[in-house]
């Protein structure tokens, strides 16, 4: 299937450390309704090792950690000898801009973080300590964007998981914050009813598998992730089991009619899209 026609906006949200088994109507009603009305899997698989740096590197390079070389939270240099095509640069070939919004960096790391973001080829705005604060700074970009990709990284669940344990009361409260931020993002962006817009939300890893306060293991609870896709040309249904951040990376340029670079190992998630724009169900009714 060819890419859906007329897509101009993509919003890419990383729900850091959110386990899919918490996405239920009782606990996270917005994310649950988003999954039900769009295409989703609660049986996606992240990369190994199942840590944020490795997963995000794969999301932005389209290759496994064994290729890009970022295999831990403190190993941030890519492997020498491999030519990597970064997602923002792949998009730039089609004149598609990408802007990122991430948590405010500590004073001692702001210069390094800004330099790393610049190497991605993406303008990155650092600000806010949680999903709500990050979204607040991103809303002007979200509302004004006519063409391009807006990337949001929300750390709430991961921070609470490390501090208090995955599925603890503090973790559940942090996940509810993600849910509330998503509801606000959907209202501000109008993505659900817009055939020119697509929202992709995924976790980079789970957590609480081998250790209640960590996620770096091959345990199913650590590597299983949710992936959800919504928008005016998205059909309701299931994504393939085992879909991964590599597939999300390949999907983003494909949505703009660009061919993913030959070195990328993921596949566009074509099954999420209809051949023609659909009439979206009102989100409030779906969530009821």
């Amino acid at each position: 299937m060819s890419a859906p026609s007329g897509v101009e906006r993509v919003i890419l949200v990383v729900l850091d450390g959110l386990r899919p088994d918490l996405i239920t109507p009782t606990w996270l009603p917005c994310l649950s309704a988003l999954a039900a009305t769009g295409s989703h899997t609660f049986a996606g698989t992240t990369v190994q090792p199942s840590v944020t740096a490795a997963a995000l590197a794969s999301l932005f390079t389209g290759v496994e950690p064994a290729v890009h070389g970022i295999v831990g939270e403190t190993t941030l240099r890519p492997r020498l000898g491999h030519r990597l095509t970064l997602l923002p640069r792949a998009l730039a070939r089609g004149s598609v801009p990408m802007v990122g919004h991430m948590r405010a960096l500590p004073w001692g790391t702001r210069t390094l973080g800004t330099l790393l973001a610049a190497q991605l080829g993406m303008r990155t705005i650092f600000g806010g300590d949680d999903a709500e604060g990050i979204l607040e700074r991103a809303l002007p970009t979200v509302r004004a964007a006519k063409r391009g990709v807006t990337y949001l990284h929300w750390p709430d669940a991961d921070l609470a998981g490390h501090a208090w344990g995955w599925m603890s009361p503090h973790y559940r409260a942090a996940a509810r914050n993600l849910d509330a931020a998503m509801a606000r993002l959907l209202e501000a962006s109008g993505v659900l009813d817009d055939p020119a817009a697509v929202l992709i939300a995924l976790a980079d890893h789970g957590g609480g598998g081998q250790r209640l306060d960590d996620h770096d293991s091959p345990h199913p609870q650590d590597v299983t992730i949710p992936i959800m896709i919504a928008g005016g040309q998205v059909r309701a249904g299931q994504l393939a089991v085992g879909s991964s951040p590599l597939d999300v990376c390949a999907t983003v340029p494909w949505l703009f009619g660009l061919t993913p670079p030959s070195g990328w190992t993921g596949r566009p998630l074509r099954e999420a899209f209809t051949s023609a724009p659909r009439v979206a169900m009102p989100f409030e009714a779906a969530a009821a």
Side-chain angles (χ1 to χ4, degrees):
M1 173 185 166
S2 59
S5 62
V7 171
E8 297 289 341
R9 296 188 295 142
V10 172
I11 301 173
L12 177 60
V13 185
V14 171
L15 308 165
D16 199 328
L18 182 64
R19 276 183 28 180
D21 50 338
L22 195 58
I23 303 176
T24 67
T26 299
W27 282 105
L28 305 179
C30 177
L31 288 169
S32 179
L34 185 70
T37 57
S39 285
H40 76 282
T41 179
F42 291 158
T45 303
T46 194
V47 299
Q48 287 286 338
S50 54
V51 297
T52 297
L56 293 187
S58 289
L59 179 64
F60 275 83
T61 65
V63 296
E64 295 278 358
V67 178
H68 61 62
I70 297 177
V71 294
E73 303 292 9
T74 59
T75 309
L76 299 180
R77 289 187 177 181
R79 188 181 302 278
L80 297 177
H82 289 277
R83 295 181 62 86
L84 303 176
T85 303
L86 302 175
L87 174 59
R89 299 192 186 282
L91 292 167
R93 293 174 179 175
S95 300
V96 179
M98 184 171 185
V99 179
H101 296 268
M102 303 180 68
R103 183 187 180 203
L105 295 172
W107 280 106
T109 63
R110 289 185 179 181
T111 300
L112 176 61
T114 301
L115 289 173
L116 289 173
Q119 289 180 357
L120 287 175
M122 174 179 72
R123 182 167 71 92
T124 304
I125 299 168
F126 296 98
D129 295 322
D130 55 14
E132 186 64 27
I134 295 165
L135 177 60
E136 183 65 32
R137 293 179 66 93
L139 282 178
T141 301
V142 170
R143 293 190 175 113
K146 301 299 182 183
R147 177 175 171 82
V149 178
T150 303
Y151 168 72
L152 300 140
H153 183 267
W154 291 346
D156 305 46
D158 182 70
L159 294 175
H162 283 296
W164 303 98
W166 263 257
M167 307 307 277
S168 67
H170 290 84
Y171 175 83
R172 292 172 185 262
R176 283 188 179 274
N177 292 341
L178 297 181
D179 199 65
M182 181 60 73
R184 189 178 178 198
L185 173 61
L186 293 175
E187 181 179 5
S189 66
V191 66
L192 295 181
D193 299 320
D194 186 355
V198 175
L199 180 139
I200 305 175
L202 74 157
D204 51 346
H205 54 74
Q210 284 193 356
R211 285 178 45 182
L212 289 178
D213 63 350
D214 201 12
H215 48 77
D216 184 6
S217 90
H219 191 285
Q221 290 179 347
D222 291 338
V223 301
T224 303
I225 61 170
I227 301 176
M228 295 165 282
I229 303 179
Q233 296 193 62
V234 176
R235 68 175 186 86
Q238 294 283 329
L239 298 173
V241 171
S243 297
S244 77
L246 299 169
D247 300 321
V248 172
C249 182
T251 301
V252 175
W254 174 78
L255 286 169
F256 291 94
L258 303 172
T259 301
S262 59
W264 289 6
T265 54
R267 66 176 186 87
L269 295 168
R270 294 178 173 87
E271 66 269 26
F273 298 91
T274 61
S275 57
R278 69 180 177 87
V279 178
M281 179 187 300
F283 193 72
E284 293 79 6

